Amino acid sequence: MLIMEPEQNRTQPGRLSALLALVELIRPHRRLALGALAALVGTASATLVLPLFVSRFVDNFIDAPLADFNRSFLWALVIACALAAGTALRYALVTRLGEVMVVNLRSRVFDRVVTMSPAFFERIRTGEVTSRINTDTTLVLTLISTTVSVAVRNLMILAGGLVLMAVTSPRLTLLAMVLVPAILLPIVILGRLLRRQSRENQDHMAHGAATVSEVLLNIQIVQAFTREQTFRDRFRAIGNAYLDSVYRRIITRAALTASVIILVFAGIATVIWVAAGDARSHAISVGQLVQFVIYAILVGGAVSTLADVWGEVLRAAGATDRILELLALDDDINDPAVPQPVPTGLQSGLRFTKVNFTYPHRPDVPVLRDLSFSVAPGEMVAP
């Protein structure tokens, strides 16, 4: 009666395609988004260029003229400063973009909800709607302001690092590429499981928030029927179910992170071992060895970060999917496209003939049945 059970399909995993709907929110702020993208590309490029000057710095350490040595050092210092400035600019622009987009998203959801008919609030609890507007949009904010920029930056570093590794030493790059499928395998397998578990966590959280809201809004009714203990037990059961789902997600996330870290660093150690043999046989210079090692570390770190970011993307996909459910709601009662004004000066009365009425959540229990009466002009109807 007071607390409605959540819909049965709420534990379905979020669709990654739901994230495409966020593109519509970016369009009004495309200048801000393009500025953030430019800063992101600049910082990723600076990260990839820096090892080239480090390589020259190492190769010029002993035999090269002092001027070449100093020039390599100054260029490396300039690029490092540009990287720092670009990172600060990227953070400022991306964070501002995320805050503006989430405010607009919350407004759209609120605008849609407040226009729904009372029948909608008979089917869904207001606490769950509040949870979606607050909690789920917070996950979307994290996605836009942090996760997306980190993911794009590491994708660029991964792609650019592999290309520059191939330029430095094709043989070593081929060896590294053999190890990539082994690194991606746990991401694909555990990522699907993590997506389902993330959506389940959000559903339990929304259920708990809805329970608190409904009980406190109707606390007089709860206390009048002495049902405090019943709802305390119910809320505790919801909390335990949430903890169980969180523990499962933590184990999956930990297994994913551990697997990626072990495979990434084992692969890097193998590549460095082979690269050191090439340097000892003078197949590559010491500077090229240092350059390749830096790129290998950058690529390995990018893969590890992407594995961690993937979990956040899946959580945001589930949250976005839940928000889109509210935006796509169909209402049984809609305002007319062209409303007509109420006529003035009418003297006729009202007549009701065979009026029937039931509440939406109890269609089998009629409140009014075949009610007929009329009201003359100026006559008051007794309640």
Side-chain angles (χ1 to χ4, degrees):
M1 53 180 187
L2 178 63
I3 301 296
M4 297 176 61
E5 295 299 325
E7 298 177 12
Q8 296 299 321
N9 61 351
R10 293 290 167 82
T11 56
Q12 296 295 325
R15 297 170 290 115
L16 289 176
S17 58
L19 297 177
L20 297 177
L22 300 178
V23 177
E24 295 295 329
L25 298 176
I26 297 178
R27 289 182 179 178
H29 314 284
R30 47 183 172 270
R31 291 185 179 180
L32 191 61
L34 290 175
L37 180 61
L40 182 63
V41 172
T43 54
S45 301
T47 302
L48 293 172
V49 171
L50 186 59
L52 297 176
F53 291 94
V54 173
S55 173
R56 293 183 181 180
F57 179 76
V58 173
D59 286 336
N60 296 335
F61 188 77
I62 298 177
D63 299 331
L66 182 60
D68 294 341
F69 175 79
N70 292 337
R71 189 179 300 110
S72 300
F73 174 76
L74 289 176
W75 272 112
L77 184 61
V78 168
I79 293 174
C81 293
L83 177 61
T87 301
L89 179 62
R90 172 182 61 84
Y91 170 78
L93 294 177
V94 170
T95 303
R96 180 179 177 182
L97 176 64
E99 294 287 354
V100 171
M101 287 179 57
V102 168
V103 168
N104 293 338
L105 180 59
R106 284 174 175 166
S107 298
R108 288 180 58 182
V109 175
F110 183 77
D111 291 345
R112 180 55 182 156
V113 170
V114 296
T115 59
M116 299 298 294
S117 63
F120 166 75
F121 295 98
E122 296 288 344
R123 297 191 300 266
I124 187 171
R125 296 172 299 178
T126 56
E128 185 171 350
V129 177
T130 303
S131 175
R132 294 195 188 191
I133 294 177
N134 294 327
T135 305
D136 289 347
T137 53
T138 300
L139 291 176
V140 175
L141 172 62
T142 302
L143 173 72
I144 298 171
S145 61
T146 303
T147 307
V148 169
S149 62
V150 171
V152 173
R153 180 176 180 273
N154 281 277
L155 283 172
M156 294 180 61
I157 291 177
L158 176 61
L162 289 175
V163 171
L164 292 173
M165 284 171 60
V167 172
T168 305
S169 176
R171 175 173 173 269
L172 295 176
T173 304
L174 181 61
L175 174 62
M177 292 299 296
V178 173
L179 302 174
V180 170
I183 297 174
L184 295 179
L185 185 62
I187 298 178
V188 175
I189 296 176
L190 296 178
R192 294 178 179 176
L193 178 60
L194 188 62
R195 187 174 78 177
R196 292 194 296 268
Q197 293 172 343
S198 298
R199 177 63 187 262
E200 185 180 352
N201 292 164
Q202 295 160 16
D203 291 338
H204 285 303
M205 186 182 299
H207 191 192
T211 301
V212 172
S213 176
E214 294 296 327
V215 170
L216 295 182
L217 287 174
N218 300 273
I219 190 63
Q220 293 87 353
I221 299 176
V222 173
Q223 293 178 346
F225 287 90
T226 63
R227 298 294 298 275
E228 297 92 338
Q229 188 61 42
T230 299
F231 290 113
R232 288 170 63 184
D233 295 340
R234 179 175 298 183
F235 185 74
R236 188 175 295 108
I238 295 173
N240 292 334
Y242 171 76
L243 285 178
D244 291 340
S245 66
V246 167
Y247 293 155
R248 291 192 296 269
R249 182 177 62 83
I250 290 174
I251 293 174
T252 303
R253 183 74 171 271
L256 176 61
T257 303
S259 300
V260 172
I261 290 176
I262 292 174
L263 293 172
V264 166
F265 283 96
I268 291 176
T270 301
V271 172
I272 292 176
W273 179 69
V274 176
D278 290 346
R280 292 173 63 89
S281 62
H282 302 288
I284 58 175
S285 66
V286 176
Q288 289 177 319
L289 172 61
V290 174
Q291 175 182 322
F292 187 88
V293 169
I294 293 176
Y295 282 131
I297 293 175
L298 288 176
V299 170
V303 173
S304 179
T305 301
L306 288 173
D308 190 58
V309 165
W310 183 245
E312 298 299 326
V313 171
L314 296 176
R315 292 188 67 196
T320 305
D321 203 11
R322 288 159 55 86
I323 294 173
L324 292 179
E325 288 177 0
L326 290 180
L327 293 176
L329 287 172
D330 292 326
D331 201 356
D332 298 331
I333 303 176
N334 296 293
D335 295 332
V338 183
Q340 300 296 322
V342 178
T344 59
L346 294 179
Q347 298 298 322
S348 60
L350 298 176
R351 176 178 296 173
F352 295 87
T353 304
K354 294 185 177 181
V355 177
N356 296 282
F357 175 77
T358 60
Y359 286 104
H361 65 289
R362 292 186 298 176
D364 55 334
V365 181
V367 179
L368 301 177
R369 179 184 296 171
D370 294 335
L371 179 65
S372 300
F373 65 95
S374 60
V375 180
E379 181 180 356
M380 299 294 294
V381 179

